[in-house]
Amino acid sequence: MLLPNDFWDKVDEFGLVLKQFNKIHSLTNYNDIKPVVEDSIKPLEFLDISPKTVCDVGSGAGFPALFLSLILQTSEFHLYEPIAKKSSFLTYVKTKLGLKNITVHPKKLEDSTKFIADLITSRALMKTQFLLKICNGFYDENTKFLLYKGSLAKDEINDLECEKDIIKNGAHRNYILLKGIKC
């Protein structure tokens, strides 16, 4: 995967901002963000799309959406984070890093205006069935879901009627790619 020349510089800048915010707001427990960044971008090695619109559900401190947006610069990212301190952090980082392809929505996805995304991402936010339910209206049969899950991922998707791929990355990380989900 080809990274933009300034990718790791932007990651370093993000890390400095995160440390500042963490002193006051305790956004995340990560001291070393490099492995989390690598985890965030790893699926680009097997993801075969250049999405026009990406919807990230429960964006938290920006993993994975911020780092995906640094690489997929022609994609429009919508980050949904209802917790004020986290959405404020995301807005600040967006401005500080000059990320023009990101819109931060400081609310729950299910309380937002619907649009069809090409890709929906979520990192260990909730069970897959519930995620699909709250994403109703944001996807159609062409939308792909990229889910960052733990070791029990297979159990969550067994009953889904769609194309599903599980890519393992170590003992505790599974990337789930869902396609063809019926609305």
Side-chain angles (χ1 to χ4, degrees):
M1 149 184 38
L2 187 60
L3 298 176
N5 292 337
D6 63 347
F7 180 81
W8 289 108
D9 293 336
K10 296 264 187 185
V11 168
D12 289 343
E13 193 171 353
F14 169 86
L16 293 174
V17 173
L18 181 63
K19 280 183 184 177
Q20 290 174 325
F21 269 74
N22 256 348
K23 287 178 185 175
I24 299 166
H25 299 292
S26 186
L27 299 174
T28 182
N29 294 327
Y30 298 118
N31 292 321
D32 180 9
I33 64 163
K34 186 175 181 186
V36 187
V37 172
E38 290 171 342
D39 176 53
S40 294
I41 65 173
K42 178 80 172 166
L44 294 179
E45 293 177 6
F46 59 81
L47 193 63
D48 63 343
I49 80 169
S50 295
K52 181 179 176 192
T53 56
V54 179
C55 181
D56 185 61
V57 186
S59 298
F63 307 107
L66 282 175
F67 307 104
L68 293 173
S69 77
L70 287 170
I71 298 168
L72 301 173
Q73 295 177 4
T74 60
S75 300
E76 179 184 330
F77 282 77
H78 294 268
L79 282 59
Y80 290 88
E81 178 50 61
I83 298 172
K85 68 181 181 180
K86 293 179 181 179
S87 60
S88 294
F89 169 76
L90 293 169
T91 300
Y92 182 78
V93 167
K94 170 195 169 179
T95 303
K96 183 85 170 151
L97 299 183
L99 300 173
K100 298 183 186 324
N101 62 336
I102 287 181
T103 301
V104 177
H105 302 272
K107 55 185 160 184
K108 291 182 177 184
L109 177 77
E110 57 268 35
D111 297 334
S112 303
T113 303
K114 310 285 191 234
F115 65 90
I116 301 301
D118 298 310
L119 178 65
I120 296 175
T121 61
S122 182
R123 186 172 181 269
L125 180 67
M126 62 186 65
K127 299 251 183 243
T128 303
Q129 292 284 1
F130 188 66
L131 179 69
L132 294 176
K133 182 179 178 181
I134 68 167
C135 288
N136 192 26
F138 287 89
Y139 66 91
D140 63 17
E141 64 279 349
N142 297 313
T143 302
K144 293 182 181 181
F145 282 77
L146 173 59
L147 309 178
Y148 297 68
K149 292 288 193 172
S151 58
L152 301 176
K154 186 176 181 182
D155 297 338
E156 286 189 35
I157 64 169
N158 275 341
D159 296 336
L160 295 179
E161 293 183 24
C162 64
E163 290 181 52
K164 36 195 164 190
D165 290 318
I166 299 177
I167 294 90
K168 290 185 110 16
N169 185 37
H172 302 289
R173 169 62 73 212
N174 289 293
Y175 304 106
I176 297 178
L177 187 60
L178 304 175
K179 304 180 241 181
I181 297 174
K182 304 283 189 258
C183 304

